[in-house]
Amino acid sequence: MNGLDQLYRDILMDHYKYPRGKKKIENPDIVNSGQNPLCGDSIELTAKLDGGRIAEIGVETVGCAICTASASMLTEIVKGMTISEVEQLASLVTKMLTGDDEQKDFDLGDLEALAGVKKFPVRVKCALLAWITLIEGIRAHQQGVKPEAVTTE
Ligand code: ZN
């Protein structure tokens, strides 16, 4: 294992042991849940908007290290972002995890630590669960409909 792998592993484990944003937001604008049955990951996501930006976000995760760490990083990075920025970021993270990471429009910070997950396709769903759940929750909010709980296949 090289030094970078070790650094990434340390970042992931830190987010797993001390998940950021593990809470439920009161009177949320965005609400959704996500399940990854293959691994047993389960998340509940709540967020509040203010002036078109994510003002508060919480994700309660019961799952593996990768799912928990990814959700924790998500809550840190999307806070203060506009919906459109969140959508761009989610698309960037998806590309990074599915191997198509040519373009890097902005600094992914701790999220770079997830890049190694692409070597383990079965774990990519763990890493993407919180992102897909947030995007689906945003879509439902924008359309004024009840969100469809996300289930990966
Ligand atoms: Zn998992």
Side-chain angles (χ1 to χ4, degrees):
M1 177 180 292
N2 66 37
L4 196 60
D5 281 349
Q6 184 59 50
L7 173 69
Y8 283 170
R9 180 174 291 254
D10 290 348
I11 292 172
L12 283 174
M13 288 316 286
D14 188 66
H15 278 275
Y16 177 51
K17 284 188 204 152
Y18 312 104
R20 281 57 142 183
K22 187 172 185 175
K23 58 186 173 185
K24 193 177 222 130
I25 307 299
E26 296 294 321
N27 306 312
D29 298 301
I30 296 166
V31 165
N32 203 7
S33 60
Q35 310 281 336
N36 178 22
L38 201 63
C39 178
D41 305 315
S42 170
I43 67 173
E44 295 289 336
L45 183 149
T46 45
K48 213 166 171 52
L49 296 171
D50 187 17
R53 291 178 183 272
I54 306 278
E56 283 187 87
I57 180 159
V59 183
E60 293 179 304
T61 310
V62 178
C64 67
I66 290 170
C67 179
T68 306
S70 180
S72 169
M73 291 174 189
L74 175 147
T75 65
E76 278 197 320
I77 198 165
V78 304
K79 212 167 168 185
M81 282 188 172
T82 64
I83 297 297
S84 138
E85 285 167 345
V86 172
E87 286 167 345
Q88 283 176 52
L89 178 62
S91 140
L92 208 59
V93 171
T94 306
K95 281 182 190 161
M96 176 179 82
L97 286 166
T98 51
D100 177 18
D101 58 351
E102 295 303 309
Q103 64 174 103
K104 284 212 170 105
D105 296 338
F106 48 101
D107 184 13
L108 289 171
D110 281 1
L111 287 169
E112 294 272 359
L114 291 172
V117 173
K118 77 175 168 206
K119 284 180 268 180
F120 309 97
V122 78
R123 310 311 299 279
V124 168
K125 284 171 184 163
C126 302
L128 284 178
L129 184 62
W131 297 88
I132 299 168
T133 304
L134 175 58
I135 291 301
E136 174 58 26
I138 287 172
R139 191 194 63 78
H141 170 75
Q142 286 174 328
Q143 297 179 357
V145 298
K146 207 173 171 304
E148 279 178 42
V150 167
T151 304
T152 61
E153 284 159 20

